[in-house]
Amino acid sequence: MDYTRIITQRIESHIETANATLSDRYLLEKTAHITGLLVDCYRAGNKLYICGNGGSAADAQHIAAELSGKFYIDRSSLFAEAMHVNTSYMTAVANDYGFDYVYERIIDGQGRAGDVLIGLSTSGNSANILRAVNKANEKGMVTIGLTGKQGGQLLKTVQHNICVPSDDTPRIQEIHILLMHIVCELVESALFSKK
C-alpha cells in the first residue's frame, strides 16, 4: 500500500472542501450570523449547549472547551456545555429511556428561552440530535445545526444551519471544527477584546 499517496489524496480532499467552503458566500454569511447569535446569547446572560455523536461529540466537547476555558484571550469563562460528558446520566437515560432521549431530557430540564443549542450531525439525521432540537424549539431556544452538504432532517428542524459542502464525514468534521474555531475567536473578541 502506498501510504504517501493516500495521505496526499486526503490532504488534497481537505483543501478542496475548504476551498468549496471559502467560495460559498451564503455559508460564510451564515457562519457570521451564528457568531452574532452567540454573542447576543452571552450578552443576555444565556447559555450554550452543544451535542453530537462519535467524532461530533468530540467536536462538541472541543468547542465547549474553547468557550468555557479560553481561546486567545485570558478572560472570564463562558457557559458552554458538551451535553454528553456526564457518563452516569448518559448511561442511565440510555438504559431507562433509550439513546434517542439522552439530549432531549437535558434540554427539557435545563434549557431556557434565549439559550442556544448547537447540534452537530454530519448526516443531519441523528435521532437524538433531532429530538433535542425539537425540544429546544418548543422552549424558545435558538437552534443551530452543523451538517454535511445534504443537511438531512436537521436542515428542516433547526432555525439556522451550516451545511459543509461535502458528503465525506471526516472532511465535514474538519470544516466544522475550522468554522467553530473562527466563531470561538470572534465571540471571544466581541465580548472581551479591549480594542
Side-chain angles (χ1 to χ4, degrees), residues 92-139:
V93 172
N95 183 64
D96 295 345
Y97 297 96
F99 195 68
D100 290 354
Y101 297 87
V102 293
Y103 295 136
E104 176 188 36
R105 289 183 63 80
I106 293 174
I107 294 300
D108 189 38
Q110 298 179 23
R112 300 290 179 262
D115 290 343
V116 174
L117 171 64
I118 297 177
L120 293 94
S121 172
T122 58
S123 70
N125 294 315
S126 301
N128 58 354
I129 308 293
L130 291 166
R131 293 188 71 90
V133 168
N134 283 325
K135 181 57 70 175
N137 285 333
E138 287 175 20
K139 294 178 79 79

Side-chain angles (χ1 to χ4, degrees), residues 116-165:
V116 174
L117 171 64
I118 297 177
L120 293 94
S121 172
T122 58
S123 70
N125 294 315
S126 301
N128 58 354
I129 308 293
L130 291 166
R131 293 188 71 90
V133 168
N134 283 325
K135 181 57 70 175
N137 285 333
E138 287 175 20
K139 294 178 79 79
M141 294 173 63
V142 176
T143 55
I144 298 167
L146 274 65
T147 69
K149 179 166 54 176
Q150 305 306 321
Q153 291 299 311
L154 200 57
L155 181 61
K156 304 169 191 169
T157 310
V158 293
Q159 299 155 18
H160 310 277
N161 199 73
I162 294 174
C163 297
V164 172

Side-chain angles (χ1 to χ4, degrees), residues 33-105:
H33 181 69
I34 286 168
T35 301
L37 292 172
L38 289 176
V39 170
D40 292 346
C41 165
Y42 285 126
R43 283 186 174 151
N46 294 115
K47 299 176 178 181
L48 170 63
Y49 297 89
I50 316 166
C51 57
N53 298 301
S56 293
D59 288 344
Q61 197 165 339
H62 186 157
I63 296 161
E66 303 292 17
L67 291 168
S68 61
K70 72 169 195 169
F71 197 75
Y72 283 125
I73 300 172
D74 187 14
R75 39 92 176 162
S76 300
S77 180
L78 297 169
F79 186 100
E81 180 175 320
M83 297 165 62
H84 66 278
V85 297
N86 183 337
T87 54
S88 296
Y89 164 84
M90 290 288 285
T91 54
V93 172
N95 183 64
D96 295 345
Y97 297 96
F99 195 68
D100 290 354
Y101 297 87
V102 293
Y103 295 136
E104 176 188 36
R105 289 183 63 80

Side-chain angles (χ1 to χ4, degrees), residues 117 167 185 193:
L117 171 64
D167 292 317
E185 176 185 355
S193 178

Side-chain angles (χ1 to χ4, degrees), residues 14-27:
H14 171 83
I15 292 169
E16 181 181 316
T17 306
N19 282 332
T21 301
L22 186 59
S23 66
D24 187 336
R25 186 74 184 169
Y26 177 78
L27 186 154

